[in-house]
Amino acid sequence: MPPLPVTHERHQLTQVSKESACRYETGAPTAKEHRRQLSNAGAGLPDAEPLDSIPNKVANFGYSQTGASTLGFLKKIEGADPNESLSKLNPDSSHNESFNTRERYKSLIRQLPARTFIDKLVDIYFRSFNWQYYGLDRDVFDKQLAEWYRLPFNLLTTGGPHALSPDLRAFPAMLFQTIATALLVLPSGSDPTFDSLKYAGGMTFEDLAMDYSESGVAILSLLGKRQMSITTVLTGFLRASFLKYVALVTEAWHAIGSAIRDAQEIGLHRDSLDPKPKSDDPAAVLENQWEIQRRRRLWMILVGWDVHTGVVLGRPISISVGMASPTLPVDAPTPKDRSKTPVLPRSENDPPTPLTRAIWAYHVMVPLRHIVELEKEGACPKDFSKVDALHQQLLDVEAQTPPYFRLENPDTRFDDHPDCYWIPFVRATLPQLMSFNFMALHRPYIFTRPKSRTAALRASLNMLHAQRLHFQSLKPQQYKTFSLFFGTFDAIVLMASIYILFPKEHTELVHNALQHFQWAVERFEAMSERNALAKAALGVLRAIFMRLKKSLGISPQAAKAMLSNPVPPVTSTSLSPFPFTDSPPEYRSDMGTDTLSPELSEGATLANGGGSISSNSTFTPSVGGDMFASAEAVSAAAAAQPSSGAFDWSLPSDFDWASLAPIYATSDLVYNNLDLGLRDTSSAILPSSAWDLDMSGLHSPNGGGSLLGGQQPVQQQGGSGFQFEGDFGNDSVWSLLNHYTPF
């Protein structure tokens, strides 16, 4: 297959002549200035911009250094290079403030571990993390690391951080974030190599990682927002990645927004602000080309993160949807020497690189920007043709998946390449991006459009299948991975909501849905020791399952047998395509209008749209397979008939399904404090027997105002019920489910 589509650049460089600019002398240099200039020249440092220059005097007024701002015009008037940084020191700062900055900077960098530990942790980071987003270049990083350790001590003592280039002064902050992230994948407990880094009893590697990450934040805070560099932006991105990995999702969203603002400050969003070569020397020209590629790759990553995080959490995105698409980097092989290698696209026979994966992931996420715009039209747009067109666009993108990234029938010729060890893991993660696109596209319409319910359900099952493969490829110390949580939780909630509210539909997929529910619970239980979000979500899944089994007419005995039936242990260490039996072809995402049954066509009447949701009309779940393996379970399932006293839930005849807000499951858990009234539960890990609940002691309280016009949810005596609690509104599906109480 030919290389991925890339945006080709014009590599022909022209030397732009610089017109001489007039400079107005402010007076004869003083002896003190003369000594400073001699000192800088002796140390090999560039001369600092005069402290009384016009740009320095207005630097603190918040003008941007990029774009057509007042500060840009002032710098041109004074004859300064627009790409040069601002003053190294605040002109109004005192000697004591400069001294405090130097000492604070030194106290922070002293917290870095010894070089031997850094080298090992950096290796772990690049092996385990960097290929996932490809924010850092190993050769550039190693060059900066070597330059950092060559710095003379007296330079830091006398000059402080402002005696360093903007890139180098921010480098220890990036180094802190790198080693902090690497610590997160160390095995829990004791490690003879890194135990000596702990400085207190009972300290974990996660505690140490948080300390290191906070030190990196402190360095950037000390340096401020002037004279930022691409290293500053990379550090912000690494910080956001770290926060997401440790389940601090709210903080990660804010951190990525800050990194985007920093990137815009240094002009990553505008090709016109790309750097120019330092000279006409061919080596300088080539190195400048690669630097431009670094900038474009980082901006591409930030744009993708921005829209994906916003859609996952239901939060605003920082980069306007109407903004021009970024110029993508060239999918070029990793250079061995940037000063001797031109930027040329990778050939068909060249192995894919992490950049290849990053570019393809961006192509997969591009439709999310259109989905964000479409959501503004609400649950009942005037014309669903836009939804169908986006659905077809997603199918087209899915069909273009590079063969070496496919989950089914992949091209494995590069799998044994030493630089392509990460490819098998990608085959389970990239399909999750695609499945989430389908889920995000159709979730606003699942209450009002049968066709969207079908698409969302199938996408959820696809997501859960990929999540199971992904889980099996990871070690326990990697269970913090955020995508491993949100993909499962969002899919489970979306899938279960469809079956709870519309139990007559999609009966042919119930067996797979319930099996995936079981596997999801088991994954979360295994992850809960290391993943705080998975632990918090277990109680929510328990309450959902209670409603799901009643809506589908599953007896308590059958439900208990389903969740107590053992699943083969996870032993797979590779991701061969479809190694399990839980991936039947009928729920692939490539469904079209002609594959829907007549009752689910676009013109069909909404199921239960104006009547009731009653388990009297549910079907008897199919028996057989893993879920109902025992004879007792088969009998119980067969006995689950309407005459067994099923719960009948009647909705008002004028219930407005379009009034329900789209489901943002992860966002509700993180932002809206989604929880249950199980305050006496000592642990979120629930044994299988706990999923077959004793419903004795339930009562119905008095009525009151609510979404359903007077009905109130049932509570368990003692205040410990199975109701969803949180800051969600009456238009939330959680509020609706609180009124479905078949206990």
Side-chain angles (χ1 to χ4, degrees):
M1 174 181 173
L4 294 178
V6 297
T7 303
H8 293 286
E9 301 178 67
R10 189 184 308 169
H11 297 295
Q12 181 179 3
L13 300 176
T14 60
Q15 177 65 23
V16 180
S17 60
K18 297 183 179 179
E19 298 182 0
S20 59
C22 296
R23 291 184 177 272
Y24 296 92
E25 299 295 340
T26 58
T30 63
K32 185 176 181 180
E33 283 182 315
H34 182 64
R35 286 195 300 268
R36 176 180 58 80
Q37 292 174 1
L38 290 177
S39 175
N40 284 350
L45 299 175
D47 290 338
E49 191 174 322
L51 298 182
D52 57 352
S53 65
I54 295 175
N56 274 326
K57 290 180 178 179
V58 299
N60 290 325
F61 294 144
Y63 290 107
S64 170
Q65 299 183 51
T66 61
S69 69
T70 301
L71 183 55
F73 288 115
L74 289 174
K75 297 187 80 171
K76 290 183 178 180
I77 290 173
E78 195 166 82
D81 185 342
N83 292 320
E84 288 179 356
S85 57
L86 293 177
S87 171
K88 293 181 178 178
L89 292 173
N90 185 336
D92 298 325
S93 64
S94 66
H95 173 75
N96 288 336
E97 289 174 341
S98 299
F99 174 79
N100 291 336
T101 298
R102 291 198 305 268
E103 293 305 306
R104 176 60 176 159
Y105 188 77
K106 286 167 56 181
S107 69
L108 289 170
I109 64 177
R110 275 196 292 263
Q111 298 174 25
L112 284 168
R115 178 73 183 273
T116 54
F117 295 112
I118 287 178
D119 289 341
K120 293 176 182 177
L121 290 172
V122 166
D123 286 339
I124 292 175
Y125 175 84
F126 277 94
R127 179 77 181 181
S128 301
F129 286 99
N130 194 57
W131 62 265
Q132 299 180 38
Y133 305 111
Y134 200 47
L136 303 182
D137 295 276
R138 184 63 189 264
D139 61 325
V140 176
F141 184 93
D142 288 344
K143 182 179 179 180
Q144 287 181 310
L145 184 63
E147 186 179 1
W148 173 257
Y149 279 105
R150 285 198 303 266
L151 290 176
F153 175 74
N154 64 338
L155 180 62
L156 296 174
T157 302
T158 58
H162 293 294
L164 309 176
S165 67
D167 268 315
L168 196 57
R169 75 179 64 145
F171 178 74
M174 186 169 71
L175 188 57
F176 269 123
Q177 300 299 341
T178 302
I179 63 177
T181 306
L183 285 170
L184 296 177
V185 296
L186 294 181
S188 59
S190 178
D191 187 286
T193 303
F194 299 105
D195 276 345
S196 58
L197 294 177
K198 301 175 183 178
Y199 57 84
M203 191 177 193
T204 65
F205 286 122
E206 184 173 342
D207 296 330
L208 185 61
M210 190 63 72
D211 279 355
Y212 285 160
S213 184
E214 292 297 330
S215 295
V217 173
I219 290 177
L220 289 190
S221 177
L222 180 68
L223 297 178
K225 294 296 185 181
R226 291 183 296 150
Q227 289 192 308
M228 292 188 296
S229 65
I230 191 172
T231 302
T232 307
V233 181
L234 282 168
T235 302
F237 170 70
L238 294 181
R239 169 68 172 176
S241 303
F242 174 87
L243 291 171
K244 189 173 76 166
Y245 199 80
V246 296
L248 297 175
V249 183
T250 302
E251 293 79 1
W253 179 69
H254 284 281
I256 200 64
S258 179
I260 289 170
R261 292 292 176 252
D262 292 346
Q264 292 171 327
E265 179 70 16
I266 66 172
L268 293 191
H269 62 305
R270 291 185 178 178
D271 293 353
S272 61
L273 298 173
D274 286 342
K276 302 297 187 292
K278 297 179 180 179
S279 69
D280 294 334
D281 182 72
V285 172
L286 290 175
E287 287 183 346
N288 186 72
Q289 289 181 355
W290 285 108
E291 182 63 18
I292 291 174
Q293 293 302 304
R294 274 215 312 156
R295 292 165 58 91
R296 293 183 178 173
R297 184 181 76 232
L298 179 54
W299 182 244
M300 176 191 71
I301 293 171
L302 293 176
V303 171
W305 262 60
D306 179 47
V307 65
H308 190 266
T309 304
V311 175
V312 168
L313 299 178
R315 312 300 289 180
I317 61 177
S318 299
I319 303 171
S320 173
V321 174
M323 187 175 181
S325 299
T327 301
L328 301 186
V330 176
D331 184 15
T334 305
K336 295 182 179 179
D337 188 341
R338 293 171 186 262
S339 65
K340 300 178 180 179
T341 308
V343 179
L344 296 175
R346 184 179 55 84
S347 71
E348 183 179 359
N349 295 322
D350 288 326
T353 69
L355 175 59
T356 310
R357 179 229 169 261
I359 294 175
W360 178 248
Y362 176 80
H363 283 296
V364 172
M365 290 186 287
V366 163
L368 288 176
R369 300 178 66 82
H370 304 295
I371 292 174
V372 169
E373 282 294 287
L374 197 57
E375 284 185 352
K376 297 178 182 179
E377 299 184 20
C380 292
K382 294 181 180 180
D383 186 2
F384 275 105
S385 63
K386 294 181 180 179
V387 179
D388 294 335
L390 267 177
H391 185 97
Q392 185 58 49
Q393 181 181 346
L394 294 179
L395 292 176
D396 294 341
V397 173
E398 186 177 37
Q400 296 170 13
T401 302
Y404 34 78
F405 291 156
R406 283 197 304 250
L407 186 59
E408 185 176 10
N409 299 322
D411 177 1
T412 60
R413 59 190 165 121
F414 298 115
D415 284 21
D416 295 329
H417 193 283
D419 295 331
C420 296
Y421 64 91
W422 47 272
I423 290 182
F425 300 96
V426 170
R427 293 186 186 125
T429 56
L430 283 180
Q432 296 175 41
L433 293 178
M434 184 57 65
S435 296
F436 177 73
N437 284 358
F438 285 104
M439 292 165 55
L441 172 62
H442 291 284
R443 67 185 172 188
Y445 320 114
I446 62 170
F447 305 117
T448 59
R449 192 189 192 211
K451 183 177 176 181
S452 286
R453 280 198 295 279
T454 300
L457 177 62
R458 296 180 182 226
S460 298
L461 291 172
N462 272 346
M463 171 70 84
L464 292 170
H465 171 63
Q467 286 272 292
R468 187 172 186 234
L469 297 179
H470 188 196
F471 179 82
Q472 291 181 321
S473 71
L474 300 179
K475 298 178 181 178
Q477 56 264 34
Q478 296 172 301
Y479 286 171
K480 284 182 174 293
T481 303
F482 176 73
S483 62
L484 196 62
F485 164 77
F486 102 83
T488 291
F489 190 61
D490 277 27
I492 282 290
V493 171
L494 190 61
M495 176 190 75
S497 297
I498 291 173
Y499 273 121
I500 292 172
L501 300 177
F502 306 96
K504 297 179 181 180
E505 301 178 3
H506 315 109
T507 58
E508 75 283 1
L509 299 178
V510 166
H511 181 277
N512 290 310
L514 294 180
Q515 179 68 88
H516 273 298
F517 201 113
Q518 174 191 3
W519 284 330
V521 169
E522 292 178 347
R523 288 200 299 272
F524 277 14
E525 288 180 344
M527 294 161 55
S528 60
E529 182 179 351
R530 283 179 166 265
N531 193 311
L533 290 175
K535 185 174 183 178
L538 276 171
V540 176
L541 293 186
R542 180 187 186 188
I544 288 175
F545 181 71
M546 291 172 55
R547 292 162 172 83
L548 179 62
K549 68 178 183 179
K550 196 65 178 179
S551 177
L552 295 178
I554 303 175
S555 69
Q557 295 86 351
K560 182 176 181 179
M562 180 192 74
L563 288 167
S564 62
N565 185 60
V567 174
V570 176
T571 57
S572 175
T573 58
S574 62
L575 293 177
S576 56
F578 298 113
F580 305 105
T581 59
D582 61 312
S583 180
E586 63 265 25
Y587 65 80
R588 291 181 58 83
S589 60
D590 52 351
M591 44 80 63
T593 306
D594 56 345
T595 63
L596 300 180
S597 55
E599 65 271 21
L600 298 182
S601 62
E602 184 60 36
T605 303
L606 293 180
N608 309 303
S612 65
I613 296 179
S614 171
S615 58
N616 289 336
S617 60
T618 59
F619 61 97
T620 302
S622 59
V623 295
D626 295 336
M627 195 168 56
F628 301 118
S630 64
E632 294 81 7
V634 172
S635 300
Q641 299 298 330
S643 60
S644 61
F647 182 77
D648 189 2
W649 183 29
S650 296
L651 289 173
S653 58
D654 59 347
F655 183 77
D656 183 10
W657 288 94
S659 66
L660 290 176
I663 299 175
Y664 294 94
T666 298
S667 178
D668 287 330
L669 187 69
V670 173
Y671 284 97
N672 297 332
N673 302 314
L674 181 63
D675 200 356
L676 295 178
L678 300 173
R679 306 306 178 197
D680 57 344
T681 302
S682 58
S683 173
I685 300 180
L686 307 172
S688 297
S689 58
W691 292 75
D692 183 34
L693 304 174
D694 182 6
M695 300 304 158
S696 61
L698 299 182
H699 67 283
S700 298
N702 296 329
S706 70
L707 176 69
L708 296 182
Q711 291 184 345
Q712 285 290 334
V714 181
Q715 294 285 349
Q716 187 175 354
Q717 290 181 358
S720 188
F722 300 101
Q723 300 299 102
F724 302 106
E725 297 181 358
D727 300 328
F728 47 81
N730 282 340
D731 62 344
S732 170
V733 70
W734 306 110
S735 180
L736 181 63
L737 292 179
N738 273 344
H739 294 82
Y740 181 57
T741 52
F743 308 141

